[in-house]
C-alpha cells in the first residue's frame, strides 16, 4: 500500500505537545485499550496522550483491569486499534494468555498488541512474540511521553494499513463475486457496492457515497425499481448508509440539492468533479452506458491522487460493462422478452423456491390457450405475439395483484397465487375465455387450466410443484379441454405409470412382442360365411400379463409413437397374409395422425411390395376424426385409393358425423358404430335413423358393415335394414392367429 496519504509526525512536535497533522477529515476516534491491574498506569497513559490527534483522529481510551475484563472488552468492540497490555496481572502470564485468546479465539489479527511490564528482567520468548503476533514490547519505565507517542503512532499506522487492506480485499471479493455471478439479479448492485468500498479502502477517503448508472439495461432488475424511469434517466444502484433512502430512485428524486446538481453536472460534462467537499467520478463504458460515483466528505485535495482516481474510474467502467452484459444475460434467462413475465427458470428460482423455503401457502396455476397454433399458422407469428401480450394482460386483470406471472413457453402461462384457499379453476377458465381485442379484431379462445396447491408439510421443490400443475393441465386438455383440473397424488402415479408404459412399449415394438388377434367379419348375405378379419393388436406383457389396446394405444398417440405402432400393425398384417393364404382379407386401424405423415403412402406401398401382398387383400379402416382434419388427409386418401387401397370409414356416427363425407371422401365401405345397435331396444328413433343411414349408403353404392352385433335381434335388424357384413361377439370373439387359420380351413 502506498504511503501517499500519510503525514509522518516527528518527535520534536510530539515532545512539545503539538497535535499531529490531520490527514483524514473523519471525526471518528482511535480506540486504545489499556489493560493493566494498576490504576496509576491508566492515569499516566491517559495524561500523556489525551491531547494528541494522530492521523486525523483523537484518541479514545478504554480501560480493563484484568485479563478477563480485557477479553470481554475486545469481544464486545471490534474497533479497538491498539492494546497496551500488562504482562503480569492475575498470574505471571495473564497478558500473554490474553494475547493468545485475542488472536486465536477472536480471530483478531489487526489490533496491535503492545506488551508492557514493570519487571525489566521479564521478557517473553521470541517464539511467543511470533506466535501471538506481539507488535511491541516495552518496560513501563521506557514509555516516556515521546516514546509512548512514537509507539502508538507506529501501531496506529500499521493498524490503519491492515484495515485498509482488509477492506480492499472485501471490495475486490465483492467485485469478483459480482462478475462471477452471471445469473444473480443484483450483480450490478453488488458490483457498485464493491466499487464504493474500494474507494474508501484504496484512497483512505472515509466518506459517504452513492453510485448511479443509466436505467436502460436494468429493466429486469425488479428489486431496484422504486418508480418507473424514462429511458434517459439514471438510477441509484448502490449507496452508503446516509444515502440508503435514495436506492433505486432517479437522480431527480434525490433531496440533497448539492448531490443532485453535482451528479447532473458530471453526467452532462462527462468529466470528473473535484472539490474539498465532494468528488464525482464520471463513468463511461465502451457501449456508452453512463454512470457516476458521488463521494461526499471533507476531501484533502492536496493529498488526493487524481490520476490514480481517474484510472480507478476507468477500471470501474470496464468492470461495469462486463457486469452489464451479465445483467442482460440474467434478464434473458429469467424474464420473457415479449410479456415481461418471468420465464420458467425465473419463476422457479425467484418465486417458487423462495415461497417454499418461507413455508407460504400458495397455488400454481398453469393456463394453456387451446388451439393457439392455428393462430400462428393462419395469421403469422407477429400476430400471434400480439395475442399473447393481450392474453397476458387479461390474466393479470383477473388474478390477484400480488400474484407472480410467468410465461413457460409458447402459449402456456403460469401464475403463482398466494392464497390458502383453493383456486376456482372454472371461474379462471371462463374469465380467460372472454373476448380479447387485437388490432381491431375480437377473438375468443378456450383456456385449459391445471392447478397444484402447496402446503408447508408437502416438502416439495418449486420445480416439482410446477410439474404437478403441468400434469393436471395435461389431463384437463385430454378430458376437460376449456376447463380446469386440480392435481391429486393419483395423477402423478398415473403419469409415472404412463411414462413407464411408454418406455416398455418402445421396447416391445423393437423386440416384436405385440401380437395380432383377428376378429372375423361375417356376411349377412351369405349367412355365416367369414369374408375377412379385423386385426386387433394385443400386448402380452412378460410381467403384467395381457395389456389391452385401450391402455397402451392412447399412450402411443399422446407421445407421438402412433406412427411406429401403425406401421408395426400393417407390417404384421402383411406378414400374416404372406404366410397364410387361407386368410383372404385383413383390415387394420390407422391413426388419424398418421394420415398427416407425408411418407405414409410410400411406406405402405413398400410394405405391400416387400411381403407380396395385393391391395385387395388388405383394408385400411379410418375414423371420422381423421376426415375432420381435411387438407393433407384428403389428398393422402385419394392417392391411396388411386393405387388400389380399400378404405373403410370406422365407427361412423361417433365423431364429427357428416353425410357429406359419403359424397366427398374416397370410401369403399361404411362401418356403423355399435352404439346404434345398443339403442335399438330403447329408442324407435334409433331404428329409424339406422335404417336411413344404411339406405343412404346403399344408394351411394357403399358397402355397410355393422359392428357390435351381440344378439339375434340385432342381427335380424341389420339384415332387414340391408347391411352387408356384421362383426360381433354373436358370431366370433377376437381369436389368435392359429384359431383364425383353422376357422378358414374348416370353412373351405
Amino acid at each position: 500500500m502506498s504511503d501517499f496519504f500519510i503525514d509522518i509526525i516527528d518527535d520534536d512536535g510530539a515532545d512539545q505537545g503539538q497535535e499531529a497533522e490531520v490527514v483524514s477529515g473523519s471525526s471518528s476516534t482511535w480506540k486504545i485499550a489499556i489493560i493493566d491491574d494498576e490504576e496509576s498506569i491508566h492515569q499516566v497513559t491517559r495524561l500523556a496522550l489525551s491531547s494528541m490527534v494522530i492521523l486525523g483522529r483523537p484518541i479514545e481510551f478504554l480501560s480493563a483491569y484484568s485479563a478477563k475484563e480485557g477479553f470481554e472488552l475486545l469481544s464486545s468492540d471490534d474497533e479497538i486499534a491498539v492494546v497496551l497490555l500488562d504482562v503480569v496481572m492475575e498470574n505471571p502470564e495473564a497478558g500473554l494468555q490474553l494475547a493468545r485468546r485475542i488472536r486465536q479465539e477472536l480471530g483478531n489479527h489487526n489490533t496491535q498488541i503492545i506488551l508492557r511490564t514493570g519487571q525489566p528482567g521479564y521478557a517473553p520468548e521470541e517464539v511467543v512474540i511470533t506466535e501471538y503476533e506481539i507488535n511491541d514490547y516495552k518496560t513501563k519505565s521506557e514509555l516516556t511521553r515521546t516514546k509512548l507517542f512514537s509507539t502508538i503512532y507506529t501501531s496506529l499506522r500499521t493498524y490503519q494499513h491492515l484495515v485498509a487492506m482488509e477492506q480492499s480485499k472485501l471490495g475486490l471479493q465483492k467485485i469478483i463475486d459480482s462478475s462471477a455471478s452471471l445469473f444473480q439479479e443484483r450483480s450490478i448492485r453488488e458490483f457498485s457496492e464493491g466499487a464504493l468500498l474500494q474507494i474508501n479502502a484504496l484512497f483512505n477517503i472515509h466518506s459517504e457515497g452513492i453510485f448511479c448508472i443509466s436505467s436502460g439495461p436494468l429493466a429486469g432488475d425488479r428489486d431496484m425499481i422504486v418508480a418507473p424511469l424514462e429511458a434517459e434517466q439514471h438510477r441509484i444502484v448502490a449507496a452508503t448508509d446516509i444515502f440508503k433512502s435514495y436506492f433505486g430512485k432517479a437522480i431527480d428524486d434525490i433531496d440533497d440539492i448539492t448531490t443532485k446538481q453535482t451528479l447532473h453536472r458530471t453526467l452532462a460534462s462527462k468529466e470528473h468533479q473535484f472539490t474539498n467537499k465532494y468528488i464525482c467520478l464520471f463513468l463511461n463504458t465502451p457501449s456508452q452506458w453512463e454512470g457516476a460515483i458521488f463521494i461526499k466528505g471533507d476531501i484533502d485535495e492536496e493529498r488526493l491522487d487524481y490520476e490514480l482516481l481517474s484510472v480507478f474510474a476507468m477500471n470501474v467502467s470496464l468492470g461495469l460493462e462486463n457486469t452489464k452484459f451479465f445483467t442482460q444475460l440474467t434478464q434473458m434467462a429469467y424474464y420473457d422478452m415479449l410479456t415481461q413475465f418471468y420465464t420458467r427458470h425465473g419463476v422457479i428460482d425467484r418465486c417458487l423456491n423462495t415461497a417454499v423455503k418461507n413455508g407460504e401457502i400458495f397455488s400454481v396455476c398453469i393456463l394453456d390457450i387451446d388451439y393457439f397454433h392455428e393462430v400462428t399458422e393462419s395469421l403469422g407469428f407477429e400476430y400471434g405475439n400480439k395475442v399473447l401480450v393481450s392474453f397476458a394482460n387479461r390474466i393479470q386483470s383477473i388474478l390477484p395483484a400480488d400474484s407472480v406471472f410467468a410465461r413457460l413457453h409458447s402459449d402456456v402461462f403460469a401464475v403463482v397465487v398466494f392464497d390458502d384457499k383453493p383456486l376456482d379453476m372454472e371461474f379462471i377458465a371462463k374469465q380467460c375465455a372472454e373476448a380479447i381485442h387485437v388490432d381491431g379484431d375480437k377473438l375468443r379462445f378456450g383456456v385449459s387450466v391445471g392447478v397444484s396447491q402447496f402446503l408447508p408439510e408437502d416438502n416439495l421443490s418449486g420445480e416439482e410443484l410446477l410439474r404437478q400443475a403441468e400434469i393436471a393441465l395435461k389431463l384437463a386438455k385430454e378430458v376437460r379441454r376449456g376447463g380446469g383440473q386440480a392435481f391429486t397424488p393419483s395423477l402423478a402415479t398415473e403419469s409415472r405409470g404412463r411414462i413407464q408404459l411408454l418406455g416398455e412399449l418402445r421396447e416391445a415394438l423393437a423386440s416384436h412382442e405385440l401380437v395380432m388377434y383377428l376378429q372375423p367379419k361375417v356376411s349377412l348375405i351369405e349367412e355365416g360365411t367369414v369374408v375377412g378379419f379385423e386385426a386387433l393388436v394385443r400386448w402380452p406383457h412378460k410381467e403384467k400379463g395381457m395389456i389391452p389396446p385401450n391402455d397402451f394405444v392412447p399412450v402411443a398417440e399422446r407421445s407421438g409413437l402412433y406412427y411406429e405402432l401403425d406401421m408395426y400393425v400393417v407390417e404384421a398384417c402383411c406378414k400374416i397374409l404372406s404366410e397364410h393364404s387361407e386368410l383372404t382379407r385383413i383390415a387394420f386401424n390407422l391413426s388419424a395422425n398418421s394420415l398427416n405423415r407425408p411418407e405414409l403412402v410410400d411406406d405402405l406401398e413398400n410394405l405391400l411390395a416387400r411381403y407380396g401382398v395385393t391391395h385387395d387383400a388388405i383394408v385400411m379402416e379410418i375414423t371420422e376424426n381423421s376426415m375432420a382434419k381435411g387438407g393433407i388427409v384428403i389428398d393422402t386418401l385419394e392417392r391411396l385409393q388411386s393405387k388400389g387401397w380399400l378404405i373403410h370409414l370406422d365407427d361412423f356416427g361417433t365423431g364429427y358425423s357428416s353425410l357429406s363425407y359419403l359424397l366427398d371422401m374416397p370410401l369403399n365401405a361404411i362401418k356403423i358404430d355399435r352404439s346404434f345397435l345398443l339403442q335399438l331396444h330403447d329408442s324407435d328413433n334409433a331404428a329409424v335413423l339406422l335404417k336411413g343411414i344404411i339406405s343412404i349408403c346403399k344408394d351411394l353404392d357403399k358397402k355397410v358393415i355393422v359392428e357390435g352385433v351381440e344378439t339375434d335381434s340385432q342381427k335380424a335388424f341389420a339384415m332387414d335394414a340391408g347391411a352387408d357384413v356384421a362383426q360381433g361377439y354373436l358370431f366370433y370373439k377376437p381369436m389368435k392367429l392359429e384359431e383364425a387359420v383353422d376357422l378358414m380351413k374348416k370353412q373351405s
Side-chain angles (χ1 to χ4, degrees), residues 7 15 101 104 191 198-199 214 290 314 328 332 418 429 434 437 694 720:
D7 186 17
D15 269 335
R101 297 187 70 190
Q104 296 181 3
F191 178 91
Q198 277 286 80
I199 288 177
S214 53
E290 297 181 346
M314 184 183 301
Q328 290 172 329
M332 293 174 64
F418 296 93
E434 293 291 327
H437 298 273
I694 294 175
D720 292 343

Side-chain angles (χ1 to χ4, degrees), residues 497-512:
R498 285 195 296 269
I499 293 173
Q500 181 181 1
L501 190 66
L502 176 61
E504 293 174 348
L505 178 58
R506 291 184 187 277
E507 293 180 4
L509 289 173
S511 57
H512 296 86

Side-chain angles (χ1 to χ4, degrees), residues 624 650-655 657 671-683 685-687 689-690 693 705-710 714 717 727:
E624 290 185 53
D650 194 12
D651 299 335
F652 183 79
T654 62
S657 297
K671 193 173 183 181
I672 297 175
D673 187 70
R674 68 181 68 241
S675 60
F676 284 96
L677 293 179
L678 292 175
Q679 296 179 59
L680 289 176
H681 179 74
D682 301 320
S683 172
N685 290 335
L689 181 59
L690 182 55
I693 291 173
I705 304 169
V706 179
E707 65 176 339
V709 178
E710 298 181 354
Q714 290 174 345
F717 181 89
Q727 180 181 344

Side-chain angles (χ1 to χ4, degrees), residues 221-379:
D221 210 345
R222 306 298 174 87
D223 289 346
M224 294 184 183
I225 297 177
V226 176
L229 299 183
E230 300 296 331
E232 66 275 7
Q233 287 184 303
H234 291 68
R235 189 188 306 280
I236 309 303
V237 295
T240 49
D241 288 340
I242 67 170
F243 293 121
K244 283 297 185 184
S245 61
Y246 298 148
F247 176 74
K249 295 182 179 180
I251 294 176
D252 288 336
D253 295 327
I254 296 176
D255 298 329
D256 186 84
I257 300 300
T258 300
T259 303
K260 181 192 305 184
Q261 291 178 346
T262 303
L263 285 170
H264 276 309
R265 187 164 56 251
T266 301
L267 293 167
S269 67
K270 303 185 186 303
E271 294 180 351
H272 305 316
Q273 307 286 320
F274 298 103
T275 75
N276 62 349
K277 296 296 183 183
Y278 60 79
I279 297 172
C280 197
L281 301 177
F282 175 68
L283 307 175
N284 184 23
T285 70
S287 63
Q288 304 302 306
W289 193 32
E290 297 181 346
I293 303 176
F294 179 82
I295 306 296
K296 183 178 183 180
D298 292 327
I299 309 299
D300 189 340
E301 296 181 81
E302 293 182 359
R303 298 187 178 277
L304 199 59
D305 191 325
Y306 298 106
E307 183 177 352
L308 188 59
L309 266 174
S310 297
V311 172
F312 174 78
M314 184 183 301
N315 288 334
V316 170
S317 296
L318 293 173
L320 190 60
E321 180 82 347
N322 290 333
T323 311
K324 178 192 73 172
F325 292 135
F326 298 152
T327 301
Q328 290 172 329
L329 287 173
T330 298
Q331 181 165 339
M332 293 174 64
Y334 284 89
Y335 299 102
D336 173 51
M337 296 297 102
L338 180 65
T339 62
Q340 295 304 306
F341 285 178
Y342 277 120
T343 60
R344 180 187 187 91
H345 188 68
V347 75
I348 291 173
D349 192 54
R350 298 299 175 84
C351 175
L352 292 176
N353 287 344
T354 301
V356 167
K357 184 177 180 181
N358 294 338
E360 299 185 56
I361 299 176
F362 61 92
S363 295
V364 179
C365 175
I366 298 186
L367 307 96
D368 179 87
I369 304 175
D370 296 332
Y371 305 111
F372 176 76
H373 65 278
E374 295 180 359
V375 173
T376 55
E377 288 175 0
S378 58
L379 300 175

